Amino acid sequence: MADKLIIFDTTLRDGEQSPGASMTKDEKLRIARQLERLRVDVIEAGFAASSNGDFDAVQLIANSIKDSTVCSLSRANDRDISRAAEALKGANSARIHTFIATSALHMEKKLRMTPDQVFEQAKQSVRFARNLVGDVEFSPEDGYRSDVDFLCRILEAVIAEGATTINVPDTVGYAIPELYGNFIKTLRERIPNSDKAIWSVHCHNDLGMAVANSLAGVKIGGARQIECTINGLGERAGNCSLEEVVMAVKTRRDYFDLDVGIDTHHILAASRMVSQTTGFVVQPNKAVVGANAFAHASGIHQDGVLKARDTYEIMRAEDVGWSANKIVLGKLSGRNAFKQRLQELGVQLESESDVNAAFTRFKELADRKSEIFDEDILAVVGDESVSHDNEQYGFVSLSQHSETGERPVATIVFTVGGKEVKETSEGNGPVDASLKAIETHVKSGAEMVLYSVNAISGSTESQGEVTVRLQNSGRVVNGVGADPDIVVASAKAYLSALNKLQSKSDRVAAQG
Ligand code: KIV
Ligand code: ZN
């Protein structure tokens, strides 16, 4: 019988550490539910001790998710571990993931601790965590750049204290596949009690090798857990991408000979949900989930695929959730059909009033756009800029005038704390004028570090999806807005980013 490969998703923790990718509690729950539908084995829901917001999100996910293990990250100290255990209390299956840096560089410069102090703290933390939950993962941060003798000593000790999973992070994405695979193999061979734990790989993508390194850790090193994120989301160049690593192991089962429990049909929906929630657009040529991943443009390829699809296709597009750009709903579709499609897409709205609000937005869109695709529906439910009661800013309406040779003017009506305000401004273009009109009132002083527009479903009839990234006082946030009118989509994205800037965060960073 083949071994099982455990898929540990950290989109909501390591993925969320990416500047601008922060998510609200409800957004995290929506993604966690999609991960559960994907049958991810372990969901790292956050870092409970880092902020009250993270604690609440971990707690909400722990109380809601039934089929996946829910995990919280925690530094190696009693306070963090107790917070994690507290947040995970309601979980069917809970894991505490505790970590401390072990490379000479991190211990000396960051922690200002001696190796012996780190050794003692790691041991004591795993012991403390094991008294609270039965499933404890330990990570030596910057493990790949750590001294192998020291790593063997510390990992043997934490396994003896009851760590059930040992994760070896390549924190800075420095590894090379063969070397990383052999590193894990050496650790497993040299540590006498290594068979008492499951070995895990956690690779960052700074040199573009996170997936390759993770697979080498499995094939050469014998690891049986991969840590990854949807779309490879994560700090800097991101983490190992779930969709790529899972499809590699499934497509090349002849080579890996491992079972993976993921229901791949939900991969695309998960990718779109994460991209629309965070505003991190998926590049068209991205493997598995990019718009071109299964498109055959050249005549020779098209001809081959029509005669026999396996001439040029190694995976079936349907197996990862692609359907032939189906028109799913239209203006005559009722609330039940809308609700059912949401369920099929893995979107579970929290209350009937949320369903009603999304249905109203869907009807408004269907009045303006004859064909509604799955992407449109996901954009409608992800629309953060409208009718969110507890948010400071909400979009109401916009009019603008632009003509060749004249400076465009926009007038926007939006709510501030529930009260409508109306502002007018000129700008270099209609988008610039609209955002300047908002700033005339808000005076956020934020710097725009990214503005991007993407057609959700291809044609000019499509909705435009706009991402705006703002930076203010050291914080970076992304706002996303969608509308058939890209000027309106831009205003919605800007208001959504301002809302995120408003929600104060005093979070502690996991690394650094
Ligand atoms: O990359 C890393 O080292 C991490 C640890 C906290 C596991 O994310
Ligand atoms: Zn990481």
Side-chain angles (χ1 to χ4, degrees):
M1 226 181 76
D3 279 0
K4 173 166 176 155
L5 180 64
I6 297 167
I7 300 298
F8 175 114
D9 180 279
T10 183
T11 307
L12 301 175
R13 196 281 296 171
D14 216 341
E16 207 218 10
Q17 276 172 225
S18 183
S22 63
M23 301 169 225
T24 65
K25 193 169 71 171
D26 291 342
E27 288 169 341
K28 285 188 173 186
L29 179 60
R30 196 185 309 150
I31 291 173
R33 290 210 157 109
Q34 183 64 19
L35 296 173
E36 187 180 33
R37 279 168 72 90
L38 263 179
R39 302 218 202 103
V40 157
D41 300 288
V42 186
I43 300 174
E44 189 162 51
F47 175 9
S50 69
S51 69
N52 290 338
D54 250 43
F55 180 91
D56 292 346
V58 174
Q59 188 172 54
L60 180 66
I61 292 168
N63 292 342
S64 314
I65 295 298
K66 299 291 166 240
D67 298 336
S68 310
T69 295
V70 180
C71 171
S72 171
L73 185 72
S74 130
R75 285 169 299 191
N77 66 57
D78 293 2
R79 183 199 161 265
D80 268 30
I81 293 170
S82 305
R83 279 298 269 174
E86 176 72 24
L88 292 169
K89 241 186 205 153
N92 264 0
S93 165
R95 173 181 297 187
I96 292 178
H97 174 193
T98 188
F99 75 99
I100 190 163
T102 51
S103 65
L105 187 65
H106 279 228
M107 289 189 290
E108 189 194 325
K109 301 277 188 249
K110 186 180 86 172
L111 298 178
R112 296 181 203 288
M113 286 169 77
T114 64
D116 282 346
Q117 286 170 326
V118 168
F119 176 82
E120 285 308 324
Q121 192 160 326
K123 257 175 64 171
Q124 134 74 20
S125 299
V126 170
R127 186 182 315 154
F128 186 74
R130 265 309 300 262
N131 283 329
L132 300 172
V133 293
D135 185 352
V136 173
E137 173 170 330
F138 175 78
S139 287
E141 190 194 357
D142 206 17
Y144 181 64
R145 292 195 302 169
S146 302
D147 175 71
V148 72
D149 293 336
F150 179 58
L151 213 50
C152 286
R153 181 172 159 236
I154 200 167
L155 295 181
E156 181 182 350
V158 295
I159 295 171
E161 292 295 345
T164 42
T165 300
I166 296 294
N167 180 45
V168 184
D170 175 25
T171 305
V172 291
Y174 182 68
I176 302 289
E178 194 185 347
L179 302 182
Y180 182 70
N182 281 322
F183 189 68
I184 309 274
K185 185 167 181 259
T186 304
L187 292 174
R188 289 185 57 235
E189 283 171 358
R190 283 189 46 188
I191 296 175
N193 55 1
S194 66
D195 61 329
K196 302 280 181 302
I198 290 171
W199 287 74
S200 167
V201 289
H202 178 113
C203 297
H204 282 264
N205 203 33
D206 298 65
L207 294 174
M209 290 190 279
V211 171
N213 288 333
S214 303
L215 292 172
V218 167
K219 184 70 185 175
I220 305 173
R224 288 295 176 262
Q225 173 175 287
I226 292 186
E227 303 201 350
C228 47
T229 60
I230 301 288
N231 298 338
L233 189 72
E235 264 183 297
R236 308 184 310 276
N239 287 65
C240 170
S241 132
L242 180 145
E243 57 280 3
E244 291 178 20
V245 92
V246 164
M247 289 317 289
V249 175
K250 286 227 174 202
T251 307
R252 295 307 309 271
R253 199 179 191 287
D254 58 319
Y255 178 71
F256 289 105
D257 192 24
L258 290 169
D259 284 336
V260 187
I262 297 294
D263 181 350
T264 59
H265 296 96
H266 300 295
I267 281 183
L268 188 65
S271 162
R272 291 203 167 135
M273 194 181 280
V274 169
S275 149
Q276 287 183 339
T277 307
T278 58
F280 279 66
V281 176
V282 173
Q283 78 200 52
N285 58 333
K286 165 94 168 61
V288 184
V289 293
N292 293 350
F294 292 90
H296 297 278
S298 94
I300 297 172
H301 285 202
Q302 280 172 357
D303 182 54
V305 169
L306 288 175
K307 286 179 179 145
R309 63 188 297 169
D310 54 1
T311 48
Y312 287 100
E313 276 185 13
I314 56 163
M315 300 171 264
R316 290 172 1 130
E318 309 85 281
D319 290 349
V320 293
W322 287 96
S323 55
N325 242 10
K326 270 196 316 204
I327 300 166
V328 288
L329 293 174
K331 164 172 164 165
L332 299 177
S333 307
R335 191 174 176 284
N336 280 345
F338 175 70
K339 218 173 145 182
Q340 180 169 345
R341 194 63 205 146
L342 284 183
Q343 263 165 21
E344 286 161 5
L345 287 170
V347 178
Q348 201 171 337
L349 295 178
E350 291 315 303
S351 64
E352 280 306 298
S353 78
D354 285 350
V355 176
N356 290 342
F359 183 61
T360 305
R361 297 206 290 276
F362 156 72
K363 280 295 202 187
E364 283 164 10
L365 180 65
D367 274 340
R368 298 158 66 201
K369 189 172 183 288
S370 52
E371 300 170 335
I372 303 285
F373 298 95
D374 285 344
E375 293 85 340
D376 293 312
I377 297 177
L378 288 171
V380 156
V381 292
D383 194 340
E384 278 293 314
S385 58
V386 213
S387 69
H388 280 238
D389 302 341
N390 47 357
E391 284 181 345
Q392 178 73 348
Y393 305 111
F395 177 82
V396 179
S397 66
L398 183 145
S399 70
Q400 49 87 11
H401 178 82
S402 61
E403 203 173 316
T404 310
E406 277 186 19
R407 215 166 141 70
V409 180
T411 299
I412 180 160
V413 182
F414 60 107
T415 53
V416 181
K419 264 181 58 193
E420 279 192 11
V421 296
K422 184 174 180 178
E423 293 291 351
T424 299
S425 177
E426 289 188 345
N428 281 348
V431 170
D432 189 45
S434 306
L435 306 194
K436 283 200 167 112
I438 297 173
E439 268 302 310
T440 311
H441 184 92
V442 175
K443 297 186 176 54
S444 74
E447 182 194 351
M448 188 179 297
V449 288
L450 176 104
Y451 171 81
S452 86
V453 189
N454 176 36
I456 287 185
S457 50
S459 74
T460 49
E461 229 234 351
S462 162
Q463 288 196 85
E465 186 178 63
V466 173
T467 303
V468 163
R469 187 172 301 158
L470 298 182
Q471 184 166 25
N472 202 5
S473 318
R475 286 192 67 202
V476 182
V477 295
N478 275 349
V480 184
D483 198 276
D485 178 335
I486 60 162
V487 185
V488 172
S490 305
K492 286 179 174 180
Y494 195 75
L495 291 170
S496 154
L498 289 177
N499 279 328
K500 289 191 175 167
L501 271 183
Q502 275 273 318
S503 65
K504 300 254 179 306
S505 166
D506 51 359
R507 174 184 292 199
V508 172
Q511 289 130 298

